[in-house]
Amino acid sequence: MAGTARVATESTARDVPALHVVNLSKRFGGVAAVANLNLTVRRGITHCIIGPNGAGKSTFFDLVTNVQPATSGEVYFFGEPITGLPQYRRAALGIARKFQAPTLFPELTVAENLYMGKVGHLGWTSLLRRRDIPAADDQVGLMLEQLRLAGESGSRAADLSHGQQQWLEIGVALMARPRLLLLDEPTAGMSLRETAATADLLGALTGDTTTVIVEHDLSFVRRIADVITVMHRGESVAEGRPDEIAQNALVRDVYLGRKSL
Ligand code: ADP
Ligand code: MG
């Protein structure tokens, strides 16, 4: 009996989603940016959210990280209610986000930026002096390899190409070993070649880390997503595997009609 109970508990724990939002809403005056959104992200997968401009995708990330408070609804992180929990407490629980705006230290080297990602969440970045950054760190070294930036380890972040800077930002976010990684339009401004390289890179880079990616580059999303949710006017209007979404008539009407897959 005890054994059965333990197995049941373990399987329940495995089934608890990484992220679960219930009737989540955000109003800006008369605009419902996010409107009674119900969304579940299974652990360990890459879950992409697509939708036209203004669909509420970035606002959804704001509500998950509490950059803005929700008007109503609940957010659960690995089964724990985190609604109302401040931003820094969510980060400490393991929610990391790469913003659309750059957050790198441009004058620090690539390796130094990664080291900042490792220690920054401890809250003492501002006390860290440059000479305190170790010349070699195993986790930094591994991440440099994974990012294919080992050759740029000593370059200033500001001197990297646009694509490399975006990859470095993802690497910095992963250095804190988050349990949930949120990426808002990681391919924005990238060339076709950089976008393709990002798709290759992301799979290896994120590994088992649950990753939610907001994008409107559909060919990119189809390459990397396990599950796609389509948002429209703050709501989830469709969800499924990439092949299911590509064939969904409603999705074609709402969104894909203007952009072929
Ligand atoms: P997406 O990321 O899908 O393009 P957003 O979440 O940025 O969409 O925006 C959703 C809607 O909410 C849009 O109509 C946008 O104009 C509105 N919105 C977003 N942020 C604010 C804000 N701070 N104040 C007022 N309206 C906002
Ligand atoms: Mg956006």
Side-chain angles (χ1 to χ4, degrees):
M1 281 298 283
T4 312
R6 192 170 65 242
V7 168
T9 311
E10 281 168 6
S11 100
T12 310
R14 264 202 312 276
D15 294 342
V16 169
L19 183 68
H20 180 52
V21 307
V22 182
N23 291 334
L24 194 65
S25 296
K26 178 67 181 179
R27 295 198 139 269
F28 296 108
V31 178
V34 172
N36 285 316
L37 180 68
N38 291 289
L39 189 85
T40 300
V41 177
R42 298 200 314 270
R43 58 175 67 195
I45 70 164
T46 296
H47 191 132
C48 291
I49 300 177
I50 61 171
N53 265 333
K57 305 182 299 294
S58 295
T59 304
F60 168 64
F61 274 4
D62 283 352
L63 302 184
V64 171
T65 49
N66 207 21
V67 167
Q68 316 205 51
T71 307
S72 58
E74 283 110 53
V75 182
Y76 297 89
F77 181 60
F78 287 91
E80 299 291 325
I82 60 165
T83 318
L85 210 63
Q87 202 179 342
Y88 75 93
R89 297 264 317 268
R90 296 186 191 206
L93 283 175
I95 302 180
R97 175 177 182 182
K98 179 197 167 299
F99 285 86
Q100 278 178 273
T103 54
L104 295 173
F105 296 98
E107 296 303 320
L108 294 188
T109 67
V110 171
E112 287 166 347
N113 268 282
L114 288 173
Y115 191 76
M116 288 297 193
K118 179 176 175 175
V119 300
H121 68 293
L122 302 175
W124 53 281
T125 315
S126 56
L127 300 176
L128 192 74
R129 288 159 302 186
R130 192 169 187 163
R131 68 165 190 271
D132 296 334
I133 301 174
D137 176 279
D138 286 350
Q139 203 188 326
V140 169
L142 187 62
M143 186 56 77
L144 284 167
E145 294 289 337
Q146 287 180 322
L147 291 170
R148 302 174 199 162
L149 287 174
E152 302 290 344
S153 164
S155 305
R156 287 187 330 148
D159 294 336
L160 297 180
S161 71
H162 173 73
Q164 289 174 322
Q165 290 187 9
Q166 301 295 304
W167 301 330
L168 179 57
E169 292 226 25
I170 296 168
V172 169
L174 283 168
M175 286 297 287
R177 301 192 199 275
R179 298 166 79 195
L180 175 67
L181 176 66
L182 309 175
L183 303 177
D184 198 344
E185 299 198 17
T187 67
M190 283 191 185
S191 65
L192 283 176
R193 185 187 293 189
E194 286 176 330
T195 299
T198 304
D200 289 342
L201 207 68
L202 269 177
L205 208 54
T206 55
D208 291 338
T209 309
T210 309
T211 307
V212 182
I213 303 180
V214 156
E215 261 292 342
H216 48 222
D217 183 332
L218 296 171
S219 55
F220 172 76
V221 161
R222 284 193 76 184
R223 286 186 62 186
I224 60 166
D226 296 304
V227 175
I228 297 176
T229 295
V230 183
M231 275 185 81
H232 183 55
R233 297 186 181 149
E235 294 178 69
S236 164
V237 294
E239 187 175 292
R241 294 189 314 268
D243 56 319
E244 293 169 335
I245 291 298
Q247 288 160 14
N248 183 305
L250 175 68
V251 174
R252 284 177 176 276
D253 286 349
V254 166
Y255 181 54
L256 307 182
R258 291 187 282 116
K259 198 167 180 178
S260 62
L261 273 167

